[in-house]
Amino acid sequence: MNEDLRIIISGGGTGGHIFPAISIANAIKSKRPDAKILFVGAIGRMEMERVPKAGYEIKGLPISGFNRKNLLKNIVVLFRIWKSQRMAKSIISTFKPMVAVGVGGYASGPTLDVCERHHIPCLIQEQNSYAGVTNKLLAKKADKICVAYEGMERFFPAEKIILTGNPVRQNVLETSLTQEDARQVFGLDPNLKTVLIVGGSLGAGTINQSILTNLELVKESGVQFIWQTGKYYYQNISDQLKQRNDLPMLVATDFISDMGAAYKAADLVISRAGASSISEFCLIGKPVILVPSPNVAEDHQTQNAMALVNKNAAIFVKDSEAQESLLCQAIETVKNDQKLASLHENILKLGLPDSANVIAEEVIKLALAKQ
């Protein structure tokens, strides 16, 4: 311990990558306040805003994903990859990390590739039950691979795998509010059954449309709703809701910063099947209806969802069927106390607590081994 720890954490693109990354960084700092942590993300992506707000420095790479519909546009993508490799090399040469952590997303590819070439120990964290392309490529040279699901040997070398679970946002676990108080935070009746609707950090068009086209059902349900629309969809939804004044049981917002309060208020959640969200539901034992996004690589959200559904720990609704059946199923489920209790009990069994601290310990071990 003669010198400060220097750690690079790379990746992002969505909250599902960023929130675990920040949780890992916070856990490292709690164990080693001397640690110097530098994030590397993709220019224009969410991490460039969220990471500095969490108190960490971040460098941006001009990298983007391949365009599968227009192959000619990939000439630009190839140039960006080349430029990102050069920039990553410069960042690493200047910062001199002792270990690199990849959480998935565009930026983690060139960053960890350069680190591996310079014999800097690397740890990757795979959040999903179906491994992403970047992590599958990086796994060949990574020293440790932290996963959230069993059976990941089909993607990664078994001897490198550590079953850690996914780190989650601390405010999800630490809220001190009662359910009644949490409902009042959102201006709702403290005694009414409540459904929380979320579509991930960017929103979900199908889920939003499922609510918008069934507002009469919302009105007549005898249930109240907290609806996180996502910033992209909020203005249009807000404009439509303003045309009505008969929906006091429906509270819509673009983004919920205190998810701990939102989860506490809810008896049931409607959500996409992103890995970080699922980890949160497991840790707090929250009954959930999962509507996997069809617009993700390898349809990994469906596979995330089925890992729960096969253990009677969640309800599955197909994206293409959501507009017709989602809201009806949610209202029916939230009124069924026996079903809610069963979902709560089964999903709670799947939670892996203390993930961020377990991963932080592995990162620190790799860094110290480098000294």
Side-chain angles (χ1 to χ4, degrees):
M1 297 191 184
N2 295 328
E3 57 179 319
D4 294 342
L5 295 183
R6 295 183 308 283
I7 298 164
I8 272 184
I9 301 178
S10 185
T14 67
H17 290 135
I18 299 163
F19 296 136
I22 292 171
S23 294
I24 293 168
N26 290 342
I28 292 169
K29 289 293 281 186
S30 71
K31 295 175 183 298
R32 288 292 299 265
D34 62 304
K36 291 180 171 61
I37 298 175
L38 176 66
F39 280 75
V40 179
I43 292 170
R45 304 292 287 187
M46 188 189 299
E47 59 265 27
M48 302 306 294
E49 176 186 350
R50 294 285 168 82
V51 169
K53 283 185 177 178
Y56 295 99
E57 181 184 359
I58 186 168
K59 302 284 187 183
L61 304 180
I63 194 164
S64 60
F66 282 100
N67 189 316
R68 300 180 183 183
K69 295 180 181 177
N70 188 334
L71 296 179
L72 288 176
K73 290 187 177 180
N74 288 324
I75 296 171
V76 175
V77 175
L78 290 170
F79 172 75
R80 288 174 178 165
I81 291 172
W82 173 81
K83 187 174 181 182
S84 294
Q85 288 271 7
R86 289 176 62 88
M87 290 177 66
K89 188 174 181 180
S90 175
I91 291 167
I92 289 157
S93 176
T94 301
F95 185 67
K96 296 182 172 58
M98 299 156 72
V99 64
V101 179
V103 297
Y106 300 136
S108 64
T111 306
L112 267 73
D113 182 56
V114 170
C115 286
E116 288 176 345
R117 291 184 190 184
H118 286 76
H119 306 291
I120 295 165
C122 294
L123 177 148
I124 59 176
Q125 198 248 333
E126 174 57 60
Q127 294 100 20
N128 294 292
S129 62
Y130 192 96
V133 174
T134 301
N135 276 349
K136 282 191 279 190
L137 291 171
L138 293 171
K140 296 172 184 177
K141 295 182 180 178
D143 295 87
K144 298 288 183 181
I145 303 168
C146 297
V147 301
Y149 292 88
E150 296 175 349
M152 298 301 284
E153 295 84 1
R154 67 192 193 276
F155 303 111
F156 304 130
E159 69 275 8
K160 296 181 180 182
I161 293 175
I162 306 170
L163 183 63
T164 61
N166 285 323
V168 302
R169 293 168 284 188
Q170 284 306 111
N171 68 354
V172 169
L173 304 176
E174 294 176 352
T175 183
S176 59
L177 295 171
T178 65
Q179 187 169 65
E180 292 75 16
D181 289 342
R183 288 172 180 168
Q184 289 179 319
V185 166
F186 292 93
L188 293 172
D189 187 324
N191 300 310
L192 266 187
K193 292 281 191 179
T194 304
V195 177
L196 170 65
I197 307 157
V198 291
S201 51
L202 303 177
T206 301
I207 293 177
N208 287 342
Q209 200 59 35
S210 299
I211 308 305
L212 273 180
T213 56
N214 290 286
L215 290 178
E216 284 304 312
L217 188 54
V218 168
K219 178 183 174 182
E220 297 164 5
S221 67
V223 174
Q224 55 194 3
F225 299 83
I226 302 168
W227 184 9
Q228 179 184 281
T229 65
K231 291 182 179 180
Y232 178 79
Y233 301 96
Y234 179 69
Q235 192 59 57
N236 176 51
I237 289 171
S238 179
D239 290 345
Q240 292 191 56
L241 293 180
K242 283 176 183 175
Q243 297 174 21
R244 308 183 56 136
N245 59 3
D246 58 347
L247 297 168
M249 74 298 294
L250 177 64
V251 175
T253 182
D254 60 340
F255 182 75
I256 299 171
S257 57
D258 188 355
M259 284 305 297
Y263 287 149
K264 180 66 79 170
D267 298 284
L268 176 71
V269 180
I270 294 170
S271 175
R272 288 302 200 193
S276 289
S277 296
I278 285 179
S279 293
E280 291 176 349
F281 304 144
C282 291
L283 286 171
I284 62 176
K286 187 59 61 176
V288 61
I289 297 177
L290 296 171
V291 188
S293 171
N295 306 313
V296 294
E298 311 289 353
D299 196 26
H300 68 252
Q301 285 204 4
T302 294
Q303 299 184 59
N304 289 349
M306 294 313 296
L308 273 66
V309 173
N310 290 337
K311 296 183 179 180
N312 298 313
I315 296 170
F316 172 85
V317 171
K318 195 173 181 180
D319 185 85
S320 60
E321 299 171 359
Q323 197 162 319
E324 181 181 339
S325 65
L326 176 61
L327 195 56
C328 286
Q329 187 149 8
I331 293 167
E332 179 183 332
T333 302
V334 80
K335 292 180 177 180
N336 186 335
D337 289 338
Q338 187 175 349
K339 181 66 173 176
L340 290 177
S342 174
L343 288 169
H344 165 75
E345 183 179 339
N346 292 336
I347 199 170
L348 200 57
K349 294 174 184 175
L350 304 179
L352 290 167
D354 213 28
S355 299
N357 282 320
V358 174
I359 296 171
E361 287 285 358
E362 294 297 329
V363 173
I364 293 168
K365 280 184 204 172
L366 287 174
L368 295 179
K370 179 71 175 174
Q371 286 186 319

